[in-house]
Amino acid sequence: MEPHKLRAKPCTFYSFSCILLIFAFLASFASAAIHYHEFVIEAKPVKRLCRTHSTITVNGQYPGPTLEVRDGDTLVIKAINKARYNVTLHWHGVQQLRNPWADGPEYVTQCPIQPGRSYTYQFTIQNQEGTLWWHAHSKWLRATVHGALIIYPKLGSPYPFPMPKREMPVILGEWWDRNPMDVLKLALFTGGAPNVSDAYTINGQPGDLYRCSSKETAIYPVEAGETILLRIINSALNQELYFGVANHKLTVVAVDASYTKPFTTNVIMIAPGQTTDVLLTADQPPARYYMAAHAYNTANAAFDNTTTTAILEYESAHYSAKGGKSLKPIFPQLPGFNDTATATAFTAQLRSPCKVKVPIEIDESLFFTVGLGLINCKNPNSPRCQGPNGTRFAASINNVSFVFPRSTSLMQAYYQGQPGVFTTDFPPVPPIQFDYTGNVSRGLWQPVKGTKLVKLKFGSKVQIVFQDTSIVTVEDHPMHIHGYDFYVVGSGFGNFDPKNDPAKFNLVDPPRRNTIGTPPGGWVAIRFVADNPGIWLLHCHIDTHLPWGLATALLVENGVGKLQTVQPPPLDLPQC
């Protein structure tokens, strides 16, 4: 796609500018494009950390292909499964209006694509621009099956910030020195926690601080004085990350494909599933500077404490004057692994660029406790009960540990009127009230398994408060809702106070996101309008927690007329 070279725009426009925008809007219908792609999902040899693994890739690439489109364009992607695992693809953050069939989570909106089969995802980008991404949504395949999805503004519509000279996707990931699917399989068998990753990666490469990795370290060339746009994506399975660039300020201009009031920071915190766009100006003495990322860890649990690096290299500093040897890169100062104060200060600065239309009168007020749990075993000494004190790890929302169907998908069962697959009696509040972040009685640690959905009327105005619990451990749970963006109106530590905390909500310019973390031992409140019919998965984007049950789904009923009704499924929708 051609570079996007347009001037910046403010929040408000004069009449003449509005007329120009109308013409640009009309012209955009004629310029909307259809992009056809084939994604071949298959195992290919990938060497990292001195060893070659048979790794599941897309078109032989790790990370997978970057998709570049404009707002209003249509994507038609034929996914051909040549791997030995069932697979689906999810277009993270794409709202998929009236089209849950293209959303991708296995056994939610579709049955998986079986080995040797294919499925064509077709969807149109509508009123979205910025950085999103795509990934497998089947077990732990997204460890290596993922890539960037960049949505440029419509032709004639500029960025709302100074135009960068160049743009670079920065995909942060995790690497296991073994088959990630085997890591998950062992954890699900034993009931214990899975092994942590062996490395973090930037665009698929671990970087200079890992064995056998320095020759392939990603290098980003820049010219002195130029401004570049870094499109940062956290594709890691299980870890929030701190990211920074040595001696350089980062100006945050967007998160989750929604623009923000620009602010400058030395470091960003980014959770699995989230994206953050930052402007970086090469205003330092010509040299080589490390980009680096390491864990922000909020749980009392083992984690990968290594650091991944890439290099920002000024072109005039490619070689030193001494014998042509490369200059040693300068390292950034990253916060400590458990520095919650820095993470909180970062997220507190996020604001929408202008006043936004936040739902004020709420029709559905939901209070969701999210966190871990333990399943008691009849035989604690069993090989399948290797969690704490002879238990099995679990996770839940409002004490319901979500169970995915296996014989059909939720959406197919709903559309076809098939009974017995799910119920719509998900509790809107915890069945038992308790001190959620205090010393919780062990009698409340064991959740109940079930496939319960939250039923919402079309057009209802929804508030959800996600409350972290101290069961097993407090933790930042990045909660993602498929099919929707939402406004993050408030957050805090401790237990949510329904009498006093809402008075502190930001109902003027809250940030718009598709994935938001619960502060460890705290809460976060979001609001949105349920105007996209279908069944949409709501879950923690830490992939260890998803098979443990930290999920539910929103069943948004059809409204009135075709434009408020789920479209029919495609003919090639996979069957179980």
Side-chain angles (χ1 to χ4, degrees):
M1 174 169 286
E2 72 277 9
H4 185 71
K5 297 182 178 179
L6 297 166
R7 293 177 298 171
K9 62 182 177 184
C11 275
T12 58
F13 298 87
Y14 295 105
S15 298
F16 181 69
S17 299
C18 291
I19 293 172
L20 292 179
L21 283 176
I22 292 171
F23 280 109
F25 176 76
L26 294 174
S28 69
F29 286 102
S31 62
I34 302 177
H35 303 263
Y36 296 91
H37 297 274
E38 256 192 15
F39 275 14
V40 179
I41 303 154
E42 61 183 335
K44 290 289 185 180
V46 175
K47 187 176 183 180
R48 297 290 186 277
L49 308 181
C50 311
R51 297 178 62 188
T52 299
H53 294 272
S54 182
T55 301
I56 307 301
T57 65
V58 172
N59 297 349
Q61 300 176 42
Y62 164 64
T66 294
L67 299 174
E68 295 181 286
V69 300
R70 289 190 182 275
D71 181 20
D73 288 356
T74 294
L75 278 160
V76 181
I77 300 171
K78 184 177 182 180
I80 303 169
N81 187 5
K82 293 187 177 181
R84 60 190 177 101
Y85 304 107
N86 289 343
V87 70
T88 65
L89 297 178
H90 170 53
W91 319 95
H92 186 111
V94 176
Q95 292 176 20
Q96 305 289 6
L97 300 179
R98 303 175 41 250
N99 185 21
W101 314 110
D103 192 45
E106 66 175 351
Y107 298 110
V108 177
T109 58
Q110 67 169 96
C111 293
I113 308 166
Q114 299 173 13
R117 304 287 182 88
S118 66
Y119 175 50
T120 299
Y121 294 91
Q122 180 169 335
F123 53 93
T124 299
I125 307 295
Q126 300 183 56
N127 299 316
Q128 292 186 275
E129 54 188 71
T131 305
L132 296 175
W133 63 301
W134 59 267
H135 60 80
H137 213 299
S138 31
K139 297 185 171 66
W140 273 21
L141 286 179
R142 83 167 177 89
T144 55
V145 178
H146 60 254
L149 170 54
I150 298 172
I151 307 170
Y152 298 103
K154 294 177 186 290
L155 286 170
S157 180
Y159 292 142
F161 48 79
M163 191 65 205
K165 185 172 181 180
R166 67 179 91 183
E167 305 181 5
M168 304 175 184
V170 179
I171 303 178
L172 309 177
E174 278 182 286
W175 178 263
W176 276 261
D177 198 19
R178 66 207 77 185
N179 182 352
M181 295 289 277
D182 290 342
V183 175
L184 175 63
K185 184 178 179 180
L186 178 62
L188 294 180
F189 175 80
T190 65
N195 291 330
V196 300
S197 56
D198 297 285
Y200 299 114
T201 58
I202 297 178
N203 285 349
Q205 295 294 340
D208 285 356
L209 305 184
Y210 298 91
R211 66 185 188 274
C212 310
S213 299
S214 60
K215 289 183 179 180
E216 288 77 30
T217 298
I219 297 176
Y220 295 83
V222 294
E223 297 177 3
E226 74 175 353
T227 297
I228 61 176
L229 178 65
L230 301 180
R231 298 178 177 271
I232 305 165
I233 300 165
N234 187 350
S235 72
L237 286 192
N238 297 318
Q239 193 63 62
E240 292 92 353
L241 295 167
Y242 279 122
F243 172 88
V245 181
N247 293 7
H248 287 75
K249 297 288 188 180
L250 306 175
T251 300
V252 177
V253 293
V255 293
D256 294 357
S258 292
Y259 295 120
T260 65
K261 281 187 174 72
F263 67 92
T264 301
T265 179
N266 293 320
V267 65
I268 70 167
M269 192 284 286
I270 184 168
Q274 293 181 335
T275 71
T276 304
D277 292 357
V278 301
L279 294 174
L280 179 151
T281 299
D283 57 4
Q284 296 300 301
R288 307 174 86 223
Y289 300 88
Y290 273 131
M291 300 177 174
H294 75 199
Y296 165 49
N297 188 62
T298 60
N300 182 20
F303 68 99
D304 180 350
N305 64 0
T306 61
T307 301
T308 181
T309 57
I311 297 172
L312 185 76
E313 182 178 79
Y314 284 63
E315 292 185 353
S316 57
H318 183 62
Y319 293 107
S320 70
K322 297 180 180 180
K325 292 183 179 180
S326 296
L327 294 169
K328 186 176 181 180
I330 300 167
F331 206 86
Q333 290 186 335
L334 295 178
F337 296 121
N338 62 349
D339 188 346
T340 293
T342 295
T344 303
F346 172 76
T347 55
Q349 295 183 79
L350 294 170
R351 293 285 189 273
S352 288
C354 312
K355 183 177 180 179
V356 292
K357 196 173 182 180
V358 183
I360 303 299
E361 300 295 329
I362 300 300
D363 303 310
E364 297 285 349
S365 185
L366 306 171
F367 183 75
F368 288 174
T369 54
V370 296
L372 304 185
L374 299 174
I375 299 293
N376 295 327
C377 293
K378 293 181 180 179
N379 181 7
N381 297 319
S382 165
R384 296 184 62 85
C385 293
Q386 299 300 306
N389 300 316
T391 62
R392 293 179 60 84
F393 272 112
S396 68
I397 302 177
N398 281 359
N399 205 47
V400 178
S401 187
F402 193 76
V403 178
F404 289 84
R406 285 293 180 265
S407 60
T408 186
S409 75
L410 297 173
M411 189 62 213
Q412 287 165 291
Y414 174 57
Y415 194 84
Q416 297 165 2
Q418 181 180 344
V421 177
F422 63 86
T423 61
T424 56
D425 57 345
F426 189 90
V429 295
I432 299 175
Q433 293 185 357
F434 56 96
D435 181 2
Y436 308 114
T437 56
N439 187 12
V440 183
S441 167
R442 286 298 294 263
L444 298 174
W445 284 36
Q446 179 159 312
V448 176
K449 292 182 176 292
T451 309
K452 298 176 182 290
L453 276 56
V454 180
K455 194 173 184 179
L456 298 172
K457 290 185 177 181
F458 184 92
S460 57
K461 299 174 181 64
V462 183
Q463 174 178 292
I464 302 178
V465 175
F466 295 109
Q467 172 72 62
D468 184 31
T469 76
S470 57
I471 296 174
V472 181
T473 178
V474 298
E475 190 166 2
D476 184 327
H477 294 281
M479 304 302 296
H480 173 49
I481 302 180
H482 291 228
Y484 284 90
D485 285 345
F486 46 76
Y487 290 111
V488 183
V489 296
S491 65
F493 290 95
N495 297 333
F496 175 71
D497 182 346
K499 292 184 179 179
N500 297 313
D501 285 332
K504 307 170 191 174
F505 283 178
N506 176 8
L507 303 179
V508 178
D509 60 352
R512 182 179 172 121
R513 306 212 67 154
N514 61 55
T515 306
I516 187 63
T518 61
W523 56 270
V524 63
I526 67 171
R527 290 186 179 185
F528 62 96
V529 178
D531 55 3
N532 190 15
I535 291 180
W536 307 102
L537 187 63
L538 181 160
H539 66 101
C540 177
H541 221 278
I542 294 176
D543 272 27
T544 293
H545 298 172
L546 184 55
W548 287 351
L550 216 170
T552 184
L554 306 180
L555 192 167
V556 181
E557 296 179 296
N558 288 331
V560 178
K562 182 178 179 180
L563 295 180
Q564 297 181 3
T565 301
V566 169
Q567 65 187 46
L571 296 177
D572 65 337
L573 187 69
Q575 302 299 311
C576 290

